[in-house]
Amino acid sequence: MSLSPARRRVAVVGTGAIVSGSHLPALRAHSDRVELVAAVDVDEERLTAFRDLAGDQVAGYTSVGTMLDAVRPDLVLIGTPPALHREQTVAALKAGAWVLCEKPLCLSLAEYDQIAAAEEAAGTYASVVFQHRYGSGAVHARELISGGGLGAPLVAHCQTTWHRDAAYYTVPWRGKWASEGGGPTMGHGIHQYDLLLHLLGEWDEVRAMAARLVHDTESEDVSTALVRFRGGALATVVNSVLSPDEVSRIRVDCADGTVELTHLYGHSNDNWVYTPAPHVPADRSAAWRTPAADVPSSHTAQLGGLLDAYDKGVRPPGSGPGARATLEFAAALYKAAFTGHPVRAGEITPGDPFYDAMHGDHPDWAPKERA
């Protein structure tokens, strides 16, 4: 039986836990719209195990370039370590494929702009996995906040307080600037503050601190920031891998009500709570309740949005200027923390050391030369 024209041919690059545990279920959930045709991994044993899980129709490759030449997929899902993301994303774009890549999409603003140039040249698009934007609770909250349903946003708190032990950092690429791009600011908290930016819009100014308090890593193991948004709201952001009581939380206090999200690695409608201000009548606050349809935040939800965009031939969510703003926020947090000075949106441009690397070549944070 021939494939429907709308069914896209998909390849995955990297076959570890994030691909087998999150991307593969997402592809299966959208099996009427996609077909997984190829997988790439330099570890042949891991590749074989993934193909056994995914099905006989999946061709195996140990080289991205060889796969792209042979398969010419419509969409490439990338789940490799962060240092490989830019090169693999650009290669896929040049081969005519759209890309959905795990966070961070790349390690610096300079790399992001290289990806943007490749998009422009190829006419294809690269999205980063920020799946927390796509749950029905997040969609509802954004509509309420942006539409003024809760009144003006005033105060916000964004918390990613997780725990990672020493064994976690024995994986060779973790904790190093060149391979991971940063600590919890880049690798953990980025999901939460991406959602905060998605809810509140453009930020204007960041002041921050960062430290290595426990782990022997090049990058930080905790960071904190104070943020001023263009609309006037003030926020705190905390990113930690030192916290035994793990939680992910966003709270936004608006003039007429508070919205709170509390979860760990993913949310559903039940994780969102709305509290009206005393002056708000019950009939108005009743409209704030999360929708009856419950779509959990997930790779499945984001993949659906990307496929919708592919079918329409338009830029997909999680790409372009919106995704760049989240990476710029990370760079600004690092610059503010390492220099001790506030950083304004748009300040980090070519020629600024924090444009080329998140450590900004700061003497206290840049990688040390090995003897």
Side-chain angles (χ1 to χ4, degrees):
M1 188 172 77
S2 63
L3 294 176
S4 163
R7 200 165 182 230
R8 310 303 177 183
R9 300 169 67 253
V10 180
V12 297
V13 177
T15 61
I18 192 64
V19 171
S20 60
S22 295
H23 287 282
L24 184 57
L27 290 169
R28 286 172 170 163
H30 292 287
S31 60
D32 60 326
R33 306 179 70 182
V34 296
E35 180 191 22
L36 179 59
V37 296
V40 181
D41 204 304
V42 294
D43 185 324
E44 294 193 38
E45 183 175 338
R46 188 167 57 210
L47 177 62
T48 298
F50 177 81
R51 293 176 67 201
D52 289 342
L53 180 66
D56 294 338
Q57 80 284 358
V58 180
Y61 297 87
T62 56
S63 161
V64 174
T66 301
M67 182 277 292
L68 291 171
D69 288 341
V71 176
R72 292 290 167 178
D74 300 308
L75 172 63
V76 175
L77 309 182
I78 297 177
T80 52
L84 302 174
H85 289 178
R86 181 202 60 81
E87 179 182 358
Q88 292 171 345
T89 295
V90 169
L93 292 171
K94 288 181 177 179
W98 286 32
V99 175
L100 179 59
C101 180
E102 279 298 322
K103 54 77 186 166
L105 178 59
C106 53
L107 303 186
S108 68
L109 288 170
E111 286 195 354
Y112 194 96
D113 290 345
Q114 292 169 19
I115 291 172
E119 283 186 325
E120 180 70 22
T124 49
Y125 298 111
S127 292
V128 58
V129 174
F130 285 138
Q131 72 270 23
H132 293 327
R133 293 184 182 194
Y134 300 93
S136 52
V139 171
H140 181 65
R142 187 170 190 259
E143 289 174 349
L144 284 173
I145 293 171
S146 63
L150 300 177
L154 303 173
V155 183
H157 175 69
C158 178
Q159 173 185 352
T160 304
T161 42
W162 294 356
H163 190 269
R164 299 292 183 266
D165 60 16
Y168 177 83
Y169 287 101
T170 61
V171 175
W173 55 267
R174 288 182 176 148
K176 297 181 174 63
W177 293 108
S179 51
E180 192 172 21
T185 307
M186 278 284 275
H188 305 82
I190 194 168
H191 277 303
Q192 246 54 239
Y193 63 73
D194 173 74
L195 180 53
L196 181 74
L197 299 176
H198 189 58
L199 294 174
L200 294 186
E202 296 181 335
W203 59 274
D204 185 59
E205 180 183 346
V206 175
R207 300 168 186 255
M209 292 183 179
R212 304 182 195 96
L213 298 182
V214 173
H215 296 293
D216 182 18
T217 55
E218 290 181 353
S219 52
E220 84 291 357
D221 54 18
V222 61
S223 68
T224 64
L226 301 175
V227 188
R228 186 187 307 277
F229 283 84
R230 292 268 168 90
L234 300 180
T236 62
V237 175
V238 179
N239 309 296
S240 167
V241 289
L242 309 179
S243 308
D245 183 9
E246 295 187 294
V247 69
S248 306
R249 181 178 291 123
I250 288 178
R251 170 176 171 145
V252 180
D253 296 321
C254 299
D256 296 334
T258 294
V259 55
E260 294 178 89
L261 167 65
T262 304
H263 67 115
L264 187 55
Y265 298 137
H267 57 78
S268 62
N269 285 355
D270 288 343
N271 297 111
W272 295 81
V273 176
Y274 291 85
T275 304
H279 65 270
V280 173
D283 60 343
R284 180 182 170 196
S285 62
W288 301 348
R289 297 193 186 103
T290 50
D294 190 354
V295 178
S297 65
S298 64
H299 288 66
T300 299
Q302 181 165 0
L303 179 59
L306 185 147
L307 292 172
D308 289 344
Y310 196 114
D311 291 345
K312 296 173 184 174
V314 299
R315 175 172 288 283
S319 69
R324 190 185 191 280
T326 299
L327 193 67
E328 184 189 4
F329 180 86
L333 193 157
Y334 280 123
K335 182 177 181 179
F338 296 169
T339 65
H341 300 296
V343 176
R344 304 297 295 268
E347 169 182 323
I348 302 175
T349 57
D352 187 313
F354 288 90
Y355 176 80
D356 294 308
M358 291 293 171
H359 54 69
D361 285 328
H362 190 279
D364 295 335
W365 288 95
K368 302 296 189 292
E369 294 291 335
R370 301 287 183 182

